[in-house]
Amino acid sequence: MSFTTDVKKELTGINPERKCCELAEITGFLRLAGSITFGFGGMGIKVSTDNPAVARLFVTLMKNYFTAKSELNISENPGPAKTKLYELTITPDMNAEAILRETGMLGIKEGSNYLTDGIDPSVIRKRCCKKAALRGLFLAAGSVSDPAKSYHLEISCSREDTASSIRKLVNSFGLNTRITERRGKHVVYLKDAEQIGDFLNIIGATGQYLKFQDVRLTKELKNNANRAFNCDMANSDRAMGAAQKQIEAIKFIDENRGLDTLPDRLLETARMRLDYPELSLAELAELFDPLIKKSGLNHRFEKIMAIAENIKNGQN
């Protein structure tokens, strides 16, 4: 199963404790998974999902809150995956219009009905209801990538105004979502790993949140270890490169003038480097008696390099 499937499976096991939260979750789900139908008997509602657990949850929520029975039809999903599509229908005689009004999907102005966008503010006044609405939205049209592969969470919808409303709702919890357009859909998304984890925790996917955090922290530890190793290797390469240049300068002096021409301290330093070509500057400094600081040893090598350069340029 995908990580999205695991998250939704956990969410379908949550039973809202309050009626207001039941309504909020239904509202979020209907906004993105529902559509309004029109017939001779009046308005109806059709809900589509490819997740059987989500379909069962919606049937339960509608029954608990509205005492409405949903007709369930299972068909073949027209998409390339050939999965099952679960369609739930609420007909006019099941009070579909009243449901649309209470969830804020259907408004009335100057005696005429109109279709609304976004989430009705009156449904999400409380913080608990905001969480429930987000849960419904994610169950309807949300996805999250496997944290072992990448960090991406999104909720897609067909209308820009609805996307803006969802973004505002998510950001009310201190998150920072963005909106993009993809294949005619408006997508509200998060790419920051910490914020994705926070979102999962907010909507109640506690088990998957802990799994997400475990994978994220393991990846970060591994990445930090790799960065430290690469840094050590780079430092080692630089140290070896510097040591090689020092050895070349020492040999050049020896071949063209003789090491015995060097002052005692520089002669000692040159012979020490030839004896221990693999040591770093700090490691080499520890071998001197009396001890010499790394900066002092570096200063000696600078003098040796300068002497070699002067010989090359024909200077005394």
Side-chain angles (χ1 to χ4, degrees):
M1 289 191 297
S2 68
F3 191 68
T4 297
T5 302
D6 290 339
V7 172
K8 291 187 176 182
K9 181 179 179 181
E10 182 174 2
L11 294 180
T12 57
I14 298 174
N15 295 314
E17 296 180 357
R18 302 176 179 178
K19 283 291 184 181
C20 60
C21 294
E22 283 186 348
L23 177 62
E25 187 163 344
I26 292 170
T27 299
F29 187 77
L30 275 182
R31 174 54 67 189
L32 299 186
S35 60
I36 299 176
T37 60
F38 297 92
F40 293 110
M43 293 183 181
I45 304 171
K46 180 176 286 187
V47 179
S48 300
T49 178
D50 60 1
N51 190 310
V54 174
R56 287 193 297 270
L57 172 65
F58 182 75
V59 169
T60 301
L61 288 175
M62 294 298 292
K63 183 179 179 181
N64 290 346
Y65 189 88
F66 290 108
T67 64
K69 293 183 179 180
S70 307
E71 295 179 359
L72 176 62
N73 295 307
I74 304 174
S75 60
E76 194 79 16
N77 195 326
K82 299 299 181 182
T83 56
K84 298 293 183 181
L85 186 65
Y86 301 85
E87 292 186 334
L88 301 101
T89 303
I90 302 172
T91 57
D93 61 326
M94 298 175 185
N95 292 325
E97 185 171 337
I99 293 171
L100 291 170
R101 292 197 186 282
E102 190 164 355
T103 55
M105 293 184 65
L106 185 66
I108 187 166
K109 186 176 182 180
E110 297 178 355
S112 299
N113 292 324
Y114 70 95
L115 302 180
T116 63
D117 284 312
I119 304 297
D120 187 346
S122 65
V123 177
I124 51 173
R125 289 181 181 141
K126 299 176 182 178
R127 188 174 178 83
C128 59
C129 296
K130 290 181 179 181
K131 292 180 179 182
L134 283 178
R135 189 160 56 245
L137 290 166
F138 186 84
L139 285 170
S143 65
V144 57
S145 61
D146 185 339
K149 298 177 181 178
S150 64
Y151 298 124
H152 185 84
L153 182 146
E154 67 178 44
I155 298 174
S156 62
C157 56
S158 58
R159 297 180 62 87
E160 185 176 2
D161 290 344
T162 300
S164 297
S165 176
I166 294 171
R167 184 189 183 203
K168 182 179 179 181
L169 176 57
V170 177
N171 289 0
S172 69
F173 288 92
L175 304 182
N176 185 25
T177 56
R178 295 186 179 182
I179 297 176
T180 188
E181 190 171 352
R182 187 196 311 136
R183 295 192 292 273
K185 292 282 189 178
H186 299 275
V187 181
V188 182
Y189 70 92
L190 286 168
K191 281 190 171 293
D192 180 80
E194 186 174 351
Q195 293 202 13
I196 291 173
D198 289 343
F199 181 90
L200 295 176
N201 197 30
I202 288 166
I203 62 176
T206 308
Q208 296 307 308
Y209 162 75
L210 293 174
K211 179 180 177 181
F212 180 91
Q213 291 293 78
D214 183 57
V215 173
R216 182 174 75 87
L217 291 175
T218 300
K219 283 177 65 176
E220 287 185 1
L221 288 173
K222 186 179 294 185
N223 290 338
N224 289 339
N226 288 337
R227 279 193 291 269
F229 175 78
N230 291 335
C231 183
D232 288 343
M233 289 297 294
N235 290 337
S236 177
D237 290 344
R238 282 194 294 270
M240 289 299 293
Q244 185 61 37
K245 290 179 180 179
Q246 293 160 6
I247 292 171
E248 290 174 358
I250 292 167
K251 288 183 177 180
F252 182 81
I253 294 172
D254 189 29
E255 293 169 358
N256 290 274
R257 183 177 292 179
L259 291 182
D260 291 340
T261 61
L262 294 173
D264 291 344
R265 288 187 176 182
L266 297 187
L267 177 60
E268 179 190 19
T269 301
R271 286 175 174 169
M272 191 72 81
R273 172 48 83 194
L274 291 175
D275 289 341
Y276 302 99
E278 77 285 356
L279 296 185
S280 67
L281 203 62
E283 292 169 335
L284 191 64
E286 293 179 356
L287 298 181
F288 283 78
D289 185 17
L291 290 175
I292 183 174
K293 291 183 179 180
K294 177 182 174 181
S295 59
L297 183 58
N298 185 60
H299 184 61
R300 289 186 186 184
F301 278 121
E302 287 178 351
K303 287 185 176 181
I304 291 173
M305 302 285 283
I307 291 171
E309 191 66 27
N310 287 339
I311 295 173
K312 289 178 183 178
N313 295 332
Q315 301 176 12
N316 293 330

